[in-house]
Amino acid sequence: MRLVIVGASLSGLRAAQAARRAGHEGELIVIGAEPHLPYTRPPLSKELLQGKQEIEDSALPVDELDVQWRLGTEATGLDRTRRRVRLQDGGEEHYDRLIIATGCRARRFDGPGAHLDGVHTLRTLEDAVALRAALASTRRLLVVGAGFIGCEVAASARSLGVEVTMVDIASHPLVPFGPALGKRWAQMHRDHGVELRLGPGLEALYGDTGSERVAGARLSDGTSVEADTVLIALGATLNTEWLTGSGLELDPGVACDPTLTSTRDPEILAAGDIASVPAALAGGARVRVEHWTTAAEHGQLAGRNALVAHDERTAHTAPPYFWTDQYDAKIQALGCPALAEHSELLELSPDGGRFVAACVQGRLVVGVVAVNAARRLAWYRRALQTPRPLTELKEALAQEDATLGSPVGAMP
Amino acid sequence: MIKVHIDLNLCQSHGECVAIAPDLFQLDENDFISWQEEVDDSRRADLEAAVNTCPMTAIRIEG
């Protein structure tokens, strides 16, 4: 059996490792658009940018994995009839089973001034190296987009002494952690000296007359922001163009059943950012999760499932887990906090620096957000294997004697 | 027996390993990790899942 994995990042690597561990003895080919062996991206916006880690530290251990790597070449097409992946370098790879893990790329700004020098995105190792070099001589950084990448880069830049303005059209930063905690994240960035502009969007970037170097940005509210470096952090675009015309169902991710098998072809599975998979927390609707842990879990499951017949494959059931490190806060989340209508504080440390909040939709807890409370989060992870009503979760919590402390008063 | 190593310079207390095998890995009240350093072969699948799901790739197993 010839197993081909398209995508040589975390998910693709975990799939290859899992397939070998599960006893796959046939050919194993991993195709990657980037020239590198697999590396981990979370440090790129944090430790690497802050100079606490070097490039080689982000390499993922590949060990003695018996894989034929096809690196530095993109997949450009999929012919399911002939079971072939077409490659940018003109080659083809025949597969018996295929795992699609091509992930995302950084979404770019396509308005005026997008071409100017000093305008960055952050997704790849090269992006991080270029941004790190730029920050060394940056006076004011403009971050466009206050999601994970934007907020982490803002925090890293502040730790380097760079002045930061961050803009987002949303009413609060870090939308994936849900609406109720948004004010807290906004205050955290302002407390660390970030000029946060919520509401206006980016209209145009401009340079000084006669210069190809960015000097600032015009926002949709008519104001301007001066900046000598700009990070565009507007989220991600799916790498699915090569699947156009393949007949696979794109929604716009690769539509899968709970076993990560594509809905139209049992020989093809998907994993990571581009896999669109039914989720219990979303009432069975298909959800795409663009987070590290899901990519790792999907990869491991897809690698095992690809070796067996469709009816012997197991389902992915773990709720999403994701985190961010900004300043001195480790913010961790379970489930889908962004679906919540409101939040309720469940635990609070006496000094107020650590807490756990439930994110609630109707009666159900759809997510949990914890700040500097990793040990407690592990408890919630076991308690929330399946969606539960808030009342039930609180009853279980009342039996716990090792909580951070009872919340008194309003949300932190 | 399988030997389990955690690089404490890398560990950031995500708790993935604790969720996978709470009897082998624990976080204390300060969120510091502790773990069973020698584990029976019957737990290999759990240990491999912990190794592969650790966001910091801080866990290594031997044997």
Side-chain angles (χ1 to χ4, degrees):
Chain A
M1 204 268 280
R2 197 169 205 265
L3 176 61
V4 173
I5 299 169
V6 189
S9 193
L10 175 65
S11 224
L13 172 63
R14 290 291 182 256
Q17 291 169 321
R20 283 293 185 221
R21 266 201 313 279
H24 176 59
E25 291 179 346
E27 284 187 272
L28 179 52
I29 294 94
V30 179
I31 299 163
E34 293 184 58
H36 311 287
L37 283 167
Y39 60 92
T40 189
R41 298 185 199 276
L44 302 190
S45 53
K46 302 186 279 283
E47 292 85 354
L48 193 122
L49 215 51
Q50 294 161 22
K52 293 176 184 165
Q53 269 191 20
E54 290 310 315
I55 295 166
E56 51 274 17
D57 297 324
S58 59
L60 285 165
V62 173
D63 308 322
E64 302 99 50
L65 191 61
D66 178 17
V67 162
Q68 299 173 48
W69 300 100
R70 297 268 185 279
L71 300 176
T73 186
E74 268 177 54
T76 53
L78 172 62
D79 181 340
R80 289 197 298 126
T81 317
R82 294 171 55 237
R83 291 198 187 171
R84 277 172 171 71
V85 175
R86 284 189 296 275
L87 302 177
Q88 190 182 24
D89 64 12
E92 286 188 330
E93 289 291 347
H94 173 262
Y95 64 86
D96 295 308
R97 295 266 162 83
L98 177 69
I99 297 174
I100 298 173
T102 42
C104 296
R105 60 184 182 273
R107 181 180 296 156
R108 293 181 181 277
F109 173 62
D110 56 8
H115 66 282
L116 290 168
D117 293 338
V119 180
H120 295 253
T121 54
L122 179 52
R123 177 82 188 178
T124 66
L125 207 47
E126 285 80 3
D127 292 341
V129 169
L131 184 59
R132 179 160 85 169
L135 288 179
S137 59
T138 296
R139 196 182 61 77
R140 180 165 284 275
L141 169 72
L142 170 63
V143 176
V144 182
F148 286 93
I149 298 294
C151 285
E152 289 173 1
V153 170
S156 295
R158 288 301 299 139
S159 80
L160 296 169
V162 176
E163 290 176 39
V164 178
T165 303
M166 184 157 60
V167 302
D168 198 301
I169 52 170
S171 60
H172 59 89
L174 295 171
V175 169
F177 288 116
L181 297 161
K183 276 186 188 154
R184 185 183 176 94
W185 318 136
Q187 193 57 48
M188 176 176 74
H189 281 279
R190 287 182 169 128
D191 287 346
H192 286 85
V194 173
E195 188 194 337
L196 193 57
R197 305 274 306 274
L198 298 168
L202 175 63
E203 287 257 309
L205 299 168
Y206 58 82
D208 287 327
T209 313
S211 168
E212 282 300 297
R213 167 107 215 147
V214 72
R218 240 187 0 264
L219 305 183
S220 58
D221 62 359
T223 62
S224 291
V225 177
E226 282 184 20
D228 41 2
T229 300
V230 174
L231 176 74
I232 302 294
L234 292 171
T237 303
L238 294 164
N239 291 325
T240 47
E241 290 85 352
W242 66 287
L243 298 170
T244 308
S246 69
L248 289 181
E249 184 184 358
L250 301 176
D251 72 356
V254 178
C256 293
D257 71 13
T259 71
L260 309 181
T261 306
S262 70
T263 54
R264 298 267 169 81
D265 190 334
E267 311 303 336
I268 300 179
L269 299 88
D273 291 0
I274 61 161
S276 186
V277 184
L281 284 170
R286 286 197 294 252
V287 171
R288 279 194 320 103
V289 179
E290 293 177 6
H291 293 302
W292 194 98
T293 303
T294 300
E297 291 170 352
H298 275 183
Q300 293 173 68
L301 183 62
R304 287 197 304 273
N305 277 350
L307 305 185
V308 297
H310 190 192
D311 59 2
E312 294 169 36
R313 294 176 187 168
T314 50
H316 183 262
T317 53
Y321 164 71
F322 52 99
W323 79 91
T324 177
D325 298 301
Q326 298 171 26
Y327 312 109
D328 50 5
K330 175 179 280 301
I331 311 171
Q332 296 173 290
L334 282 181
C336 305
L339 297 176
E341 290 147 355
H342 65 277
S343 296
E344 183 165 331
L345 199 56
L346 297 177
E347 300 183 33
L348 179 65
S349 65
D351 65 1
R354 311 165 75 191
F355 71 86
V356 182
C359 305
V360 186
Q361 184 194 50
R363 292 168 55 245
L364 283 183
V365 178
V366 292
V368 166
V369 176
V371 173
N372 296 333
R375 180 180 58 84
R376 293 303 305 146
L377 195 76
W379 182 84
Y380 287 92
R381 205 193 287 239
R382 289 193 293 279
L384 290 172
Q385 286 294 322
T386 52
R388 289 170 89 175
L390 179 61
T391 47
E392 205 181 295
L393 183 67
K394 282 168 132 179
E395 281 165 22
L397 187 61
Q399 308 300 313
E400 266 284 295
D401 48 13
T403 71
L404 297 175
S406 291
V408 180
M411 280 296 295
Chain B
M1 293 297 264
I2 304 169
K3 282 196 172 149
V4 183
H5 306 272
I6 298 184
D7 185 336
L8 294 176
N9 293 317
L10 293 176
C11 175
Q12 291 187 359
S13 308
H14 282 277
E16 288 284 342
C17 54
V18 180
I20 290 165
D23 58 329
L24 303 181
F25 302 92
Q26 290 91 31
L27 290 168
D28 70 13
E29 64 274 15
N30 293 313
D31 291 341
F32 289 127
I33 193 77
S34 60
W35 69 100
Q36 193 176 313
E37 295 182 5
E38 295 213 332
V39 176
D40 191 80
D41 286 315
S42 64
R43 303 297 300 280
R44 185 173 298 278
D46 278 344
L47 290 177
E48 284 178 347
V51 167
N52 287 306
T53 317
C54 173
M56 309 315 296
T57 56
I59 310 173
R60 213 159 42 79
I61 57 175
E62 223 180 300

